[in-house]
C-alpha cells in the first residue's frame, strides 16, 4: 500500500520494536493496514480480532500464537491479563 496511513503504521511498528516477520505477521499487518485505511477486501472493516484474522486469511489460533499480538498488547484491542492477586 502506498497510503500515508499505512506508511505511518509500518513506521510506528518499526519504531516500537515490534518484530514483523515474513509470513503470518506480515499478513496480519497488511490486513490491519487495509482495515484502518478503509479498504478491506473480505470483511466489513470493523477492527476486531475476528475480522482481522478473516482479512489476513488466518485462524484466530494462529493470530494468538504469533508474537505480534504479544509484543504489542494494544494491537487490535488485544490486552494481556492483569496479574492475579494472591488470596490471603
Amino acid at each position: 500500500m502506498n497510503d500515508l496511513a499505512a506508511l505511518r503504521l509500518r513506521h510506528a511498528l518499526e519504531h516500537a520494536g515490534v518484530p514483523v516477520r515474513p509470513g503470518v505477521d506480515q499478513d496480519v499487518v497488511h490486513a490491519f493496514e487495509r482495515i484502518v485505511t478503509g479498504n478491506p477486501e473480505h470483511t466489513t472493516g470493523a477492527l476486531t480480532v475476528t475480522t482481522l484474522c478473516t482479512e489476513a486469511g488466518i485462524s484466530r489460533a494462529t493470530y494468538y500464537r504469533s508474537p505480534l499480538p504479544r509484543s504489542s498488547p494494544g494491537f487490535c484491542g488485544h490486552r494481556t491479563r492483569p496479574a492475579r492477586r494472591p488470596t490471603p
Side-chain angles (χ1 to χ4, degrees):
M1 298 184 85
N2 57 2
D3 191 35
L4 182 59
L7 184 62
R8 286 182 181 169
L9 172 66
R10 289 181 187 173
H11 179 69
L13 288 172
E14 288 175 8
H15 183 68
V18 176
V20 178
R21 300 174 304 160
V24 172
D25 292 347
Q26 194 170 18
D27 292 342
V28 170
V29 170
H30 287 295
F32 186 79
E33 290 172 353
R34 287 193 304 270
I35 290 172
V36 170
T37 58
N39 299 316
E41 296 175 358
H42 306 289
T43 63
T44 59
L47 186 56
T48 65
V49 171
T50 302
T51 57
L52 183 64
C53 292
T54 302
E55 193 69 32
I58 61 171
S59 69
R60 287 175 54 142
T62 301
Y63 172 78
Y64 285 116
R65 279 194 301 265
S66 168
L68 186 61
R70 287 190 300 267
S71 62
S72 56
F75 189 71
C76 194
H78 176 70
R79 295 182 200 97
T80 56
R81 291 184 181 175
R84 273 192 174 169
R85 294 183 184 174
T87 55

